[in-house]
Amino acid sequence: MCGIVGYIGQQEAAPLLLKGLQRLEYRGYDSAGIAVQSGVRCDGLGATGEVLGVRCDVLGEGMKDEAGVRVVKRKGNVASLGEALAGSNGAVSGATMGIGHMRWATHGDPSDRNAHPHVSADGSIALIHNGIIENHAALRVELGKHGYEFVSDTDSEVLVHLIDHLWKSIPFMNFEGAVREALSIVDGAYGICVISSREPDKLLVARNGSPLVIGVGEGEYFVASDAAPIVEHTRRVVYLSDGEMGVITRDGYTVKSIGNIVCEKGLTELDFDLEEIEKAGFEHFMLKEIFEQPEVMQDVMRGRVRLDEGRIQLGGISDQLERLREAKRIVICACGTSWHAGLIGEYLIEEFARIPVEVDYASEFRYRSPIVGPGDVMIVISQSGETADTLAALRMAKEKGAMVVGICNVVGSTIARETDCGMYTHAGPEIGVASTKAFTAQVIVLTMLALALGKDRALSDAEFIQALQCLSSLPERVKRILGCSEQIREIAEAYKDAKNFLYLGRGYNFPVALEGALKLKEISYIHAEGYPAAEMKHGPIALIDEEMPVVVIAPKDDTYQKVLSNIQEVKARGGRVIAIATEGDEEIRELADHVMYVPKGKAFMMPLLTVIPLQLLSYFIATLRGCDVDRPRNLAKSVTVE
């Protein structure tokens, strides 16, 4: 959600900031802007006002050049910002320090005036902000009493005026102190970058609930919401924790608490390459990531599934495995796609380890009075490791004495740092907003965890080895499904104009039905719902007619005959059926309008197979409808605000 970049060094800032924003477009946006330090020192009194008026006319609408801080911002995508920069007559050329932002609207409509950066009244301070300032309305009223006027509808503008007010009104106050004092006053979540011509050559950053990372180069420093814009410049990074501020100059950086206590922060080495965040010849990141899944599955299991030794090695939880086995109950908390993976985890852990499991939306868990405490284990799942609701659930569970286990993809993320133990998914960077490879990686981690918990508990040695063999065979099976992508595209052609879809599944495949429906909604904007197949008769059957395609997940398992009955009920009412079936199943071909086949497999591994054709179906329907699948409207990759 939103994207922040910053730079201070010897290179020209504007091109670096623009490219960095392009790397962050997957996070979601509706406007973009940059501010650079022009090299003109200002005393904050607006002494260059006459000149600035001329420059504003030159820069045009949506651009400012006030008191040494030059701002260009635009509604729309980063390409629109690039066009504005190209037409700015070199207004931002030459500056070697600046900040950039992509906004995902929370307060105020997408527009030039609501775009970031926001500037102080005299133009000497520029600020970009991710998150939500919850007490912005009260602060707006108070600042108004001191003569401050607001030009945007955003909560973020309040913060830049608050910094300016504190700096000017408190004797002997400096830039850093004003930012620190302002952050002690505001309530809510933030990730901020601030620059000021009143103290040039200083970049201040701070976080509370919204991720920020500092890249440490050779005589230059980078700031971003995540490592994607940084990795091509340096692999050495520092992840800020909540309540921390970074003070960055051309000579180095210091990390302090908001209370001004120096924090010792170690450098982290990024574990992915620039090539991993490029499209590598694919039309979209989403398609690339769908096709990466066989390799991702191998990476997730590498060093963990040791078939020759007959064991699973999960280093991140090995010291806590017995404590996990002794849990009286496991609660899985997550949001969106990760919640669907958690539902599959419930089936897996209860089947293999016979430990009671509950799955909760993190966004609901935090606002009720959940019964959780010592003896319970909470598993939190998040691709980014920064999901705000999931973090809140994690902290609540820890406060109540529960053990918390994390499953996430990003090394150094907040969830990775704050859980008692955990497991990385090793899926590599996921750029597509609609999650694909992260889902399958999460399910494999949950499968390995369930098997590790079940060994010597509810699984015989023979059952355990057989399960390991099934896991090891997954990459090749998924490759076979991906080899049928052209047939799936042809099916998508027949349904691209549908207005509604229904997805049905039973057992392990019910969460897959939910995930399939979510993918279609996210990227094609077609209304879709997932249901347990048996629940169709309890309401959704009323919707079925020739205009309602029904996707039925029907592998040959213990519920196969009952699912066939569901298909017959749909056909009896004129519905069109797309079936996902086991290779060689000719019976279902007689009933369904179209069939997408997956290889045979044990029930527990079917979600990792049946989800692949659903991902492809959603992708092809969306592209045939002309949708931008990498940047679906209204969505953000990492939801770091409520």
Side-chain angles (χ1 to χ4, degrees):
M1 175 175 295
C2 299
I4 279 176
V5 295
Y7 175 74
I8 181 169
Q10 303 305 316
Q11 300 186 62
E12 187 171 357
L16 283 173
L17 296 173
L18 188 66
K19 191 170 185 180
L21 291 176
Q22 290 169 340
R23 298 274 187 219
L24 291 174
E25 280 187 304
Y26 71 93
R27 294 176 67 91
Y29 60 87
D30 51 54
S31 58
I34 69 169
V36 299
Q37 188 70 56
S38 69
V40 179
R41 183 178 176 86
C42 170
D43 60 7
L45 300 179
T48 55
E50 290 184 2
V51 176
L52 296 176
V54 175
R55 287 181 179 170
C56 283
D57 289 339
V58 172
L59 296 180
E61 184 183 357
M63 305 183 191
K64 283 189 176 182
D65 180 349
E66 297 181 349
V69 173
R70 299 178 179 179
V71 176
V72 180
K73 53 186 182 177
R74 277 290 182 273
K75 175 185 175 181
N77 58 17
V78 177
S80 299
L81 174 62
E83 292 171 3
L85 290 171
S88 68
N89 297 320
V92 295
S93 299
T96 56
M97 170 184 171
I99 55 178
H101 188 269
M102 290 188 313
R103 178 175 183 255
W104 190 82
T106 56
H107 296 74
D109 64 325
S111 61
D112 286 355
R113 67 189 182 89
N114 286 331
H116 295 222
H118 292 289
V119 295
S120 57
D122 61 14
S124 66
I125 308 170
L127 172 145
I128 54 180
H129 166 232
N130 289 353
I132 292 176
I133 304 302
E134 294 175 357
N135 58 340
H136 70 96
L139 290 171
R140 184 181 287 256
V141 171
E142 188 64 28
L143 288 165
K145 296 176 183 178
H146 294 280
Y148 285 88
E149 297 180 358
F150 294 83
V151 298
S152 79
D153 303 315
T154 69
D155 56 328
S156 305
E157 189 187 0
V158 170
L159 186 51
V160 73
H161 291 318
L162 180 61
I163 293 168
D164 180 64
H165 171 65
L166 294 169
W167 196 348
K168 290 176 177 176
S169 62
I170 299 177
F172 309 110
M173 181 62 74
N174 61 14
F175 184 22
E176 183 182 334
V179 172
R180 182 178 294 107
E181 185 69 19
L183 295 179
S184 71
I185 293 171
V186 299
D187 297 327
Y190 55 78
I192 63 167
C193 286
V194 200
I195 59 174
S196 174
S197 58
R198 293 157 66 183
E199 285 193 26
D201 296 332
K202 183 175 288 185
L203 176 61
L204 301 184
V205 299
R207 73 158 280 177
N208 183 48
S210 189
L212 281 177
V213 58
I214 300 172
V216 181
E218 297 297 330
E220 58 184 357
Y221 300 89
F222 307 83
V223 176
S225 301
D226 65 42
I230 294 176
V231 68
E232 65 180 294
H233 304 289
T234 179
R235 303 182 71 86
R236 299 185 301 159
V237 298
V238 176
Y239 290 95
L240 291 187
S241 299
D242 284 350
E244 291 181 344
M245 171 189 286
V247 181
I248 309 171
T249 69
R250 298 183 189 277
D251 298 323
Y253 70 94
T254 304
V255 178
K256 304 179 180 180
S257 70
I258 300 301
N260 203 26
I261 298 172
V262 174
C263 305
E264 296 298 329
K265 305 285 288 189
L267 288 171
T268 299
E269 193 82 9
L270 294 177
D271 62 352
F272 65 92
D273 297 316
L274 180 62
E275 291 75 16
E276 293 183 69
I277 56 174
E278 301 287 356
K279 291 182 183 176
F282 286 89
E283 186 175 356
H284 296 96
F285 282 112
M286 182 180 178
L287 186 62
K288 171 179 177 276
E289 288 159 6
I290 290 172
F291 273 82
E292 283 177 347
Q293 286 174 109
E295 290 73 28
V296 167
M297 291 176 173
Q298 288 177 329
D299 290 341
V300 177
M301 292 185 284
R302 183 173 289 114
R304 291 167 163 175
V305 175
R306 301 188 175 184
L307 186 57
D308 56 337
E309 301 174 21
R311 66 188 183 97
I312 286 178
Q313 176 65 36
L314 299 174
I317 65 164
S318 57
D319 293 340
Q320 303 288 344
L321 194 56
E322 286 308 314
R323 187 177 171 189
L324 285 167
R325 284 175 173 155
E326 293 169 1
K328 65 180 182 182
R329 181 183 62 147
I330 293 175
V331 179
I332 299 177
C333 254
C335 301
T337 285
S338 296
W339 185 77
H340 297 155
L343 289 176
I344 296 170
E346 177 184 18
Y347 284 74
L348 290 162
I349 294 170
E350 290 193 341
E351 177 177 347
F352 293 148
R354 309 308 296 164
I355 300 172
V357 179
E358 297 176 13
V359 183
D360 223 324
Y361 284 112
S363 54
E364 288 296 310
F365 183 89
R366 65 183 296 193
Y367 288 116
R368 58 184 181 85
S369 298
I371 301 173
V372 62
D376 292 326
V377 170
M378 173 179 278
I379 299 174
V380 293
I381 310 173
S382 166
Q383 189 281 138
S384 67
E386 302 290 352
T387 309
D389 289 317
T390 308
L391 278 166
L394 180 164
R395 290 162 181 163
M396 180 184 288
K398 289 191 75 170
E399 287 173 4
K400 293 178 178 291
M403 176 185 178
V404 183
V405 178
I407 296 175
C408 65
N409 191 37
V410 179
V411 175
S413 61
T414 305
I415 283 179
R417 295 195 304 269
E418 293 194 13
T419 46
D420 294 300
C421 60
M423 296 156 286
Y424 287 115
T425 54
H426 299 308
E430 187 177 63
I431 306 301
V433 172
S435 184
T436 52
K437 65 177 182 175
F439 172 78
T440 49
Q442 289 168 355
V443 173
I444 289 179
V445 168
L446 287 163
T447 305
M448 293 188 296
L449 174 62
L451 290 171
L453 293 175
K455 183 174 172 55
D456 302 325
R457 180 184 174 99
L459 287 171
S460 68
D461 289 344
E463 290 170 328
F464 183 79
I465 293 299
Q466 188 177 53
L468 295 189
Q469 291 170 338
C470 289
L471 275 178
S472 300
S473 71
L474 270 169
E476 289 304 316
R477 294 172 191 245
V478 171
K479 286 180 183 177
R480 282 161 54 186
I481 300 170
L482 294 171
C484 300
S485 61
E486 189 54 39
Q487 293 95 301
I488 296 173
R489 188 187 187 283
E490 292 171 2
I491 294 171
E493 183 76 51
Y495 294 95
K496 64 182 176 64
D497 297 321
K499 300 291 192 294
N500 301 280
F501 270 76
L502 185 64
Y503 285 68
L504 302 176
R506 285 182 183 245
Y508 280 107
N509 289 299
F510 159 53
V512 178
L514 296 175
E515 175 63 10
L518 177 63
K519 284 294 150 294
L520 191 69
K521 279 184 279 197
E522 285 180 321
I523 62 172
S524 72
Y525 320 134
I526 296 173
H527 174 256
E529 296 296 335
Y531 272 87
E535 287 295 304
M536 182 184 67
K537 297 186 290 293
H538 298 281
I541 198 168
L543 299 172
I544 293 173
D545 59 19
E546 64 277 2
E547 300 299 322
M548 170 71 86
V550 181
V551 179
V552 183
I553 306 170
K556 282 205 168 179
D557 57 20
D558 292 343
T559 64
Y560 176 71
Q561 290 300 325
K562 293 187 179 298
V563 174
L564 288 186
S565 297
N566 294 132
I567 293 175
Q568 290 168 332
E569 290 167 346
V570 172
K571 296 301 293 181
R573 287 156 180 82
R576 294 182 291 169
V577 173
I578 306 168
I580 299 178
T582 305
E583 287 176 344
D585 185 352
E586 294 300 323
E587 183 179 1
I588 205 165
R589 187 181 288 279
E590 298 299 318
L591 292 173
D593 296 271
H594 294 92
V595 181
M596 298 183 287
Y597 285 110
V598 298
K600 296 178 182 179
K602 293 287 186 180
F604 80 88
M605 65 187 293
M606 291 313 296
L608 292 159
L609 301 176
T610 57
V611 75
I612 305 298
L614 295 185
Q615 293 171 348
L616 288 168
L617 181 68
S618 298
Y619 171 81
F620 287 127
I621 288 176
T623 53
L624 288 166
R625 289 167 62 90
C627 302
D628 186 345
V629 299
D630 282 338
R631 302 179 185 91
R633 67 189 185 201
N634 302 332
L635 292 181
K637 181 65 179 174
S638 178
V639 183
T640 55
V641 298
E642 294 183 57

